[in-house]
Amino acid sequence: MVFRISPTSITETFGNSFGFPKQISLGFLSYPFTVIGIVFVTNSFNLMDGADGVSSSLTFLAIIGIHIVEIFFSGLNININIVSLALAGSLIPFIWFNVLKSSKNKIFLGDSGRLFLGYIIACLLLYQTKTNNSVSPTIALWIVAIPIFDVIAVIIYHAKININNFEF
């Protein structure tokens, strides 16, 4: 496994994300908050795939965003750049066959593929905010804003029309 949750990869503070003069420390709540955050981002990418290539296109844009932010804030950190570029390169043929090329032959990503992409994005963003002090968690949230806001909008919509989010 490339990424694992260790004491050095846990979100311990929010940084100066909300405009407070001091950092907001999470203390012992940092472990469950990190796990919930990873699961939420992972599932938000899973729930985004309503049509062909939506989840993979947003993943591609998030990976490019991660790559650009990493270059601007920490120079050329070769580890994160190779992972993000390899994943972006593997998504190009998938996007080509599902979105750009009008063909009857489509590639099926499936739940496992979408969950993998969401997990990799969550772990890359966590790694980026923990290893680079100049990258705040707010930048990481803006990179995955569309899937996160989509899930929040669906939850609010289901609450308005009295649909249980946990039933199928």
Side-chain angles (χ1 to χ4, degrees):
M1 183 190 313
V2 176
F3 300 103
R4 64 182 176 91
I5 296 176
S6 66
T8 59
S9 67
I10 298 298
T11 302
E12 296 167 354
T13 65
F14 284 121
N16 297 335
S17 301
F18 302 107
F20 296 125
K22 293 185 178 182
Q23 292 186 352
I24 301 171
S25 179
L26 294 174
F28 68 91
L29 294 175
S30 61
Y31 290 98
F33 186 82
T34 302
V35 171
I36 289 170
I38 288 173
V39 169
F40 187 75
V41 171
T42 301
N43 283 323
S44 67
F45 276 92
N46 185 27
L47 296 174
M48 280 300 298
D49 205 28
D52 291 335
V54 174
S55 181
S56 59
S57 299
L58 288 174
T59 303
F60 182 76
L61 290 175
I63 290 170
I64 297 302
I66 289 169
H67 187 67
I68 289 171
V69 167
E70 188 67 32
I71 287 173
F72 281 130
F73 286 112
S74 69
L76 291 174
N77 185 354
I78 197 69
N79 294 331
I80 191 85
N81 289 338
I82 289 174
V83 170
S84 63
L85 286 178
L87 198 54
S90 68
L91 285 174
I92 290 172
F94 181 80
I95 293 171
W96 173 261
F97 281 106
N98 282 350
V99 178
L100 301 175
K101 186 178 178 185
S102 61
S103 173
K104 293 180 183 177
N105 301 328
K106 302 226 181 220
I107 302 171
F108 184 68
L109 187 61
D111 283 339
S112 297
R114 292 188 302 263
L115 287 170
F116 171 74
L117 292 177
Y119 177 72
I120 290 295
I121 293 295
C123 289
L124 284 173
L125 289 173
L126 182 63
Y127 176 77
Q128 187 176 12
T129 57
K130 291 304 293 177
T131 59
N132 195 351
N133 290 334
S134 60
V135 177
S136 72
T138 307
I139 294 173
L141 287 175
W142 277 111
I143 290 175
V144 292
I146 294 173
I148 287 175
F149 286 140
D150 182 64
V151 169
I152 293 171
V154 167
I155 290 171
I156 291 171
Y157 176 73
H158 284 177
K160 278 185 179 179
I161 60 173
N162 294 325
I163 294 177
N164 188 357
N165 287 318
F166 301 105
E167 286 183 1
F168 291 103

